[in-house]
Every structure is written in structure tokens, then in C-alpha cells.
Amino acid sequence: MTEILLHTSYLVAIGFCFGTFGWMMLKAEKNQTAKAFMMCQILIIIWCLPQLFLAFADSREIKYALYAISYIGISFIGPCWLMFARFYCRKETAPWAWAVLLGIGSFDFAMFLSNGFHHMFYRIFELNQIIYGPAFYFHMVFTYTCVILGMVAVLGNFRKNPGQGVHTAVMLAAAAVPLGFNMLYLSQTIKSGFDLTPPMFALSSFMMLLAVFRYDFLDIDVVASRQIFSSIGEGIIVYNRRGKVTCCNDAACRYVQVKNGDDYNDVWERLCKDALLQEDSLLKAPRPMPPAGFVLELPDGRKLQVKKYLLFGRQGK
């Protein structure tokens, strides 16, 4: 019964990761944040997939080969998570720093592959017994450090942007749950006989999938396509329920200096401040801008006709 539940959890985790990855491939803007997030999903799939077959390994060699596939994901999940968190928080990181992090991940994987020569990664690796070596513990400390640094960056971003509470909670929980269970497994606090980390990714992947579908995570917009808008002469700005600009075409950027990720209310206040409105009453209009169209006269003499449209979902939201 335990084996059935364990394999089911692996399949669920893989399924959620595939679902999140596929949805983002179709709907997300292919920026650095989205690419790093999708890479994390791929690494989780690589980590979990061989776990489905470990119960059927009848020799040391087959078990080691399955571990080798898993360790492709395990070796690089820490740096990729940190990369995703830094990109999400819009924090600049020098290219050499990423090269060092990925280099350490590659070194860890190389130590695993060459364990037969130095036995530093595993002191003993047999079909029914595994004893870890110092290189393994170095690898785990490195991975934990990357994940914790990513969580610190997310918390720091939340202090600057309190409105991102839901996203912050989801990201922290998605990192903390597998990390916590991995610590419990390695420390033998929970003697389950199998690694609890991959099944916990099922829960993490579900939370990330929920954030993508329900809470506009990474500003995935199923209505507006940036590729279509980029060729339109009129300026178009799309913002989501949280008031963040999720899509704007080249004309809008040129007219009002707006970009993806800007706060819509800030854009509106700047327009009111910098432009000369034809009707003074509009200066007192409540935010966001009124549905009716109006004309903005810019200081250089140009005039912009502005209109706002609201889009409602099937449930009227």
C-alpha cells in the first residue's frame, strides 16, 4: 500500500510540473523569470521520474543509473531556484556569479559520477545500503544555501511590495515544504525507508499551479497577446486585478513611458500630473480612470484620446 501511495505521489508531482510547464510555454511571456521557473519544473520532473522505477531495481548498477538521472535535477535545482527568485525580485546578479553557482552544481554531479574512484560522495553504495560521504553533505549544504538565499530575496521583495502577499506565501511554502522534509529524511528524524522529498513536490507543484491559474502569478495573461499588440499603432495598456501592468505595446511605451510590471495607479497619476487635461473635472476623477473616453493634451501640443475597457470573466469578475 505504501509503495502505491508513493508512486502515485510521484506521478502527481510529475503531472503538476508538466501542467505548469506546458501552461507557461503557451501563455507566459518568455522573460528571464518565466524561463528560470520553467527550468525548475523540468529539474523536478527529472528528479522524480527515476523514483518510479527504483522499487524495480534488482542490481546495484541499475539503482546507480537511476540515481544518476535523478541527480541531474538534484544537482541544479538549488542554483535554478535561486536564479528564479532573484529574477522574480528584479535583483541584478553578475553573470560570473551564475557561472560559479552552475559550476558548483556541475562539480557536485561530477563527484557523484566519479564516486567509484574516490568514494567521497558515497562511502558505501549498495542495493540495500547507502552511506553518504563528505562530498554529498557539501552538495546538500550548497543546495540548502541556494534555496534559503532565494527565500530571503523573496521576503525582502515582500517588504518592498506588501501587495504581493499571496505570491510570497506560495513561493516560500513551495520551497520550504520539500526542503523541510528532505532535512527530516537525511537526518533520519523520520525513518520512512524512502526519500520524502519527491512526494512533497506534488504539494509544491500544486501550489505553484494554483498561483499560475488563480493569482496571476508571473502575470500570465490569457486574453492579451503581446505579439499582436506590438504591431498596433494605438497605445494599448493591459493591467490585471492587482493593478499591475501585464502587457503594453510599443506605442504605449513611446507615448507614456510605461513598461510591464508598473503599477497602473502610478501611471495614471503621472498622466494627470504631466499632461494638461482639457476638462479640469477629470483631475478629481476617482482612480482608476473613468470608463468614459477623454482627451489628454501633452505639453508638446500632441493630444491623446484615452479610453478604458473592462473585461469580465464567466463569473462576472
Side-chain angles (χ1 to χ4, degrees):
M1 186 62 181
T2 302
E3 287 292 335
I4 295 175
L5 292 175
L6 187 62
H7 282 75
T8 301
S9 68
Y10 292 150
L11 289 172
V12 170
I14 293 169
F16 277 133
C17 288
F18 267 123
T20 306
F21 177 83
W23 180 257
M24 294 193 67
M25 280 292 294
L26 293 174
K27 301 297 182 180
E29 182 182 351
K30 304 306 184 292
N31 53 31
Q32 290 179 318
T33 308
K35 290 177 181 178
F37 178 74
M38 289 189 288
M39 180 56 66
C40 288
Q41 301 303 295
I42 292 174
L43 292 174
I44 293 172
I45 293 171
I46 295 174
W47 184 344
C48 292
L49 197 58
Q51 305 293 326
L52 294 170
F53 306 99
L54 279 177
F56 306 105
D58 56 1
S59 69
R60 174 184 178 277
E61 289 72 22
I62 293 176
K63 183 175 181 178
Y64 200 83
L66 291 172
Y67 267 55
I69 298 173
S70 276
Y71 265 94
I72 297 174
I74 298 171
S75 297
F76 296 100
I77 189 66
C80 283
W81 161 257
L82 178 57
M83 192 178 299
F84 161 63
R86 298 279 298 183
F87 286 149
Y88 176 79
C89 299
R90 294 183 174 87
K91 292 183 177 293
E92 294 293 333
T93 305
W96 65 263
W98 294 132
V100 169
L101 289 174
L102 294 175
I104 295 175
S106 300
F107 170 77
D108 291 336
F109 187 59
M111 289 294 289
F112 169 85
L113 292 178
S114 60
N115 186 70
F117 297 101
H118 50 71
H119 301 287
M120 296 291 288
F121 203 91
Y122 293 119
R123 292 297 191 190
I124 296 176
F125 188 95
E126 298 296 339
L127 188 61
N128 298 315
Q129 184 184 22
I130 293 177
I131 297 178
Y132 303 113
F136 172 85
Y137 290 109
F138 168 80
H139 155 67
M140 295 312 302
V141 170
F142 168 68
T143 302
Y144 291 163
T145 301
C146 288
V147 174
I148 292 171
L149 288 176
M151 295 171 69
V152 170
V154 172
L155 281 172
N157 184 69
F158 173 68
R159 294 191 183 96
K160 297 178 181 178
N161 303 282
Q164 303 290 326
V166 174
H167 293 173
T168 300
V170 170
M171 290 179 66
L172 293 178
V177 170
L179 183 68
F181 275 88
N182 187 253
M183 288 180 174
L184 292 175
Y185 169 72
L186 293 178
S187 65
Q188 295 296 307
T189 303
I190 297 179
K191 298 182 179 180
S192 60
F194 51 85
D195 191 353
L196 295 166
T197 311
M200 289 303 105
F201 277 119
L203 178 59
S204 294
S205 299
F206 173 75
M207 290 188 291
M208 298 302 276
L209 195 63
L210 179 66
V212 166
F213 280 98
R214 179 67 179 85
Y215 296 109
D216 302 321
F217 186 61
L218 300 184
D219 295 325
I220 295 177
D221 198 317
V222 297
V223 180
S225 171
R226 185 179 178 87
Q227 288 76 13
I228 295 175
F229 288 162
S230 62
S231 61
I232 298 177
E234 288 98 349
I236 299 176
I237 301 173
V238 179
Y239 66 97
N240 60 19
R241 291 185 298 255
R242 295 180 289 108
K244 177 175 285 191
V245 174
T246 63
C247 186
C248 55
N249 66 352
D250 295 339
C253 297
R254 187 168 59 252
Y255 291 148
V256 296
Q257 290 76 50
V258 65
K259 64 182 184 299
N260 287 348
D262 285 352
D263 186 274
Y264 172 75
N265 287 331
D266 292 342
V267 175
W268 169 234
E269 287 181 353
R270 178 158 48 81
L271 286 176
C272 291
K273 178 181 178 182
D274 296 342
L276 303 174
L277 289 134
Q278 288 192 333
E279 298 182 20
D280 293 339
S281 61
L282 287 176
L283 284 172
K284 302 178 181 179
R287 296 187 303 172
M289 67 171 65
F294 60 93
V295 177
L296 292 174
E297 183 177 349
L298 300 178
D300 61 4
R302 292 181 302 165
K303 294 182 179 180
L304 297 179
Q305 184 178 16
V306 182
K307 291 184 179 181
K308 175 193 171 187
Y309 303 89
L310 296 178
L311 181 67
F312 296 91
R314 294 180 180 179
Q315 298 179 350
K317 295 182 179 179

